Amino acid sequence: MKVTEHIKQAKGKTLFSFEILPPVKGKSIDSIFKVLDPLMEYKPSFINVTYHRSEQFFKRKTDGTFDMVDIRKRPGTVGICAALMNHYKVDAVPHLICGGFSKDETENALIDLNFLGIDNVLALRGDPPKNEKYFQPDMNGHHYAIDLVQQIEKLNRGIYIEDEIADGVNTDFCIGVAGYPEKHYESPNPDLDLMFLKNKIDAGADYVTTQMFFDNEKYHRFVAKCRESSINVPIIPGLKPITSKKQLSGIPSIFHVDIPNDLAMEMMKCKNEKDAEKVGEEWLLHQTRDLIKSGAPVIHFYTLGKPHVIDNVMKQIL
Ligand code: FAD
C-alpha cells in the first residue's frame, strides 16, 4: 500500500516507520532481521531501505601500481525490500538516488520495483562520493531529485524513455522526497531550498520525509513555512537517537543539523556511554511525545544500529 494511503486510513492517528541500511557486502540479511524483529511488534506502516552508490578506491596491484576500482559497499536495496515484504508482510520504501545511475538504469530499477509489487519510492539526489566535493550526475543521469521525480511521474503515466514503447504499462508509485527543516547544506538560503522543495511537489511528489532534527520547534516552523508556500502534502518527521558523546560533533558534520544546547550540555556531563545513551533516549522520547501531540502523520525513526533505543521509546509511548 502507498505511504499516503496508510496516512489517509489512519485518520489523524500518528503512524510509525523505520529506516534501515542494507548490510555491508558479504553480511547476511539476518543482520537486518535481527534489528527489525524486536521492532515489528510496534506495527510499522512501512520500512525504508537506503540506497548507497558505489565509491572509487585505489587498489594495489601485484606489480606495485594501482588500479581505480568501483566498490558498492552496501548493495541489495531492492532485494532487501522484497525480502522485508515477504518476511514481515510490511510495505517497503526503497530509496532511489540520482548519483551513479543513468536514466536507463533508473527506468530498469523502477520496472523491477513495479514487478515486485513495491508501491513506494523515496526519490533523492544522493550525496557526492566521499572523495568529491560537488555532486556530479552520471553521464546521462539526473542532476537533481526533481528530475528523478519527473521520470517516475512519467512512468506512472506509461511514458518510457524509448519512444517506441507505445501502450507501456503505467506504474503507480507513491513518490516521497526529502525536506530539510534546517535547510539543505548546499542551498544558498532557506527560502530557495523551500522553493526547490515546492518544485518537487509540483512535479508529482506525494509526501516529504525530513532530515533528522533534534529541536522540534524547527520541524514545526518548517511545516508552517511549507503550508504558507502551498506545500500541502504530508510532512513526515525523521528522528534519530543520539547515543554517544562522539555524535555531538559527528552528527552536525555529517548531516548539517544542530544539536540543541540543553541536549549537548546533558550529554557532556555523562561519565560513560551508557549514561549518554540514556540521555539520548530521554530526548528522543520527549521529541516523539511532542510530535504525536502535535499530530505528525508518521514518525520515521532512523534506526541505524541502535534498535534497542527505539524499542525503549516505543514501549513508553504505546
Ligand atoms: P535535491 O532536492 O536535488 O536538492 C539538492 C540541493 O540542490 C539542495 O540544496 C536544493 O536546494 C538544490 N536544488 C534543487 N533543485 C535545484 C535546481 N533546479 N537548481 C539549483 N539548485 C537546486 N542519500 C543517499 O545517498 N542514499 C539514501 O538512501 C538517502 N536517504 C535519505 C533520506 C532522507 C529522508 C533524507 C533527508 C536524505 C537522504 N539522503 C540519502 C541524503 C540526500 O541524498 C542528500 O541530502 C543530498 O545531498 C540531497 O538530496 P535531495 O534529494 O534533497 O536533493
Side-chain angles (χ1 to χ4, degrees), residues 5-43:
E5 282 167 14
H6 279 286
I7 294 171
K8 212 182 275 173
Q9 286 188 9
K11 297 196 173 109
K13 188 171 164 269
T14 301
L15 304 173
F16 298 98
S17 60
F18 301 127
E19 179 165 311
I20 53 153
L21 279 69
V24 288
K25 194 182 265 187
K27 295 270 180 248
S28 149
I29 193 160
D30 289 344
S31 59
I32 297 290
F33 295 146
K34 211 168 138 198
V35 166
L36 288 174
D37 277 349
L39 297 176
M40 292 313 287
E41 68 170 288
Y42 306 115
K43 301 195 170 29

Side-chain angles (χ1 to χ4, degrees), residues 97-110:
I97 60 173
C98 305
F101 270 91
S102 69
K103 292 171 197 163
D104 279 311
E105 287 163 340
T106 297
E107 185 171 276
N108 293 340
L110 289 166

Side-chain angles (χ1 to χ4, degrees), residues 7 44 46 48-49 61 86-87 95 98 100 111 128 148 180 182 194 197 242 264 275 286 295 305-306 309 318:
I7 294 171
F46 49 91
N48 283 40
V49 184
K61 294 196 292 187
N86 187 35
H87 191 76
H95 294 190
C98 305
I111 289 169
L148 186 50
Y180 300 83
E182 298 181 54
L194 203 68
L197 177 60
I242 179 164
D275 290 351
H286 170 77
K306 291 282 176 183
V309 175
L318 290 183

Side-chain angles (χ1 to χ4, degrees), residues 127-189:
D127 282 321
K130 286 194 184 76
N131 50 354
E132 288 171 31
K133 199 156 179 221
Y134 299 103
F135 178 85
Q136 287 295 337
D138 200 75
M139 207 167 36
N140 197 27
H142 295 305
H143 202 132
Y144 293 109
I146 187 174
D147 307 317
L148 186 50
V149 172
Q150 281 164 343
Q151 183 175 8
I152 303 167
E153 194 276 329
K154 271 190 179 168
L155 211 63
N156 279 352
R157 287 187 285 125
I159 301 171
Y160 290 69
I161 294 172
E162 287 165 43
D163 302 339
E164 300 93 73
I165 301 178
D167 298 327
V169 162
N170 294 40
T171 57
D172 189 19
F173 290 110
C174 173
I175 308 169
V177 290
Y180 300 83
E182 298 181 54
K183 179 181 99 60
H184 184 260
Y185 67 100
E186 288 171 22
S187 194
N189 61 58

Side-chain angles (χ1 to χ4, degrees), residues 19 50-51 95 97 122-127 144-146 178-180 184-187 192-193 196 200 209-211 302:
E19 179 165 311
T50 57
Y51 195 94
H95 294 190
I97 60 173
L122 191 70
L124 302 144
R125 187 196 70 178
D127 282 321
Y144 293 109
I146 187 174
Y180 300 83
H184 184 260
Y185 67 100
E186 288 171 22
S187 194
L192 265 183
D193 206 28
F196 290 128
K200 290 193 279 192
T209 301
T210 75
Q211 180 58 285
Y302 293 107

Side-chain angles (χ1 to χ4, degrees), residues 219-253:
Y219 168 78
H220 295 312
R221 277 202 293 272
F222 176 68
V223 173
K225 283 274 231 175
C226 285
R227 301 308 181 221
E228 275 169 30
S229 309
S230 304
I231 296 174
N232 293 316
V233 297
I235 301 176
I236 298 177
L239 294 184
K240 176 179 163 64
I242 179 164
T243 53
S244 78
K245 281 193 196 185
K246 266 199 302 205
Q247 288 175 306
L248 287 180
S249 54
I251 287 178
S253 71

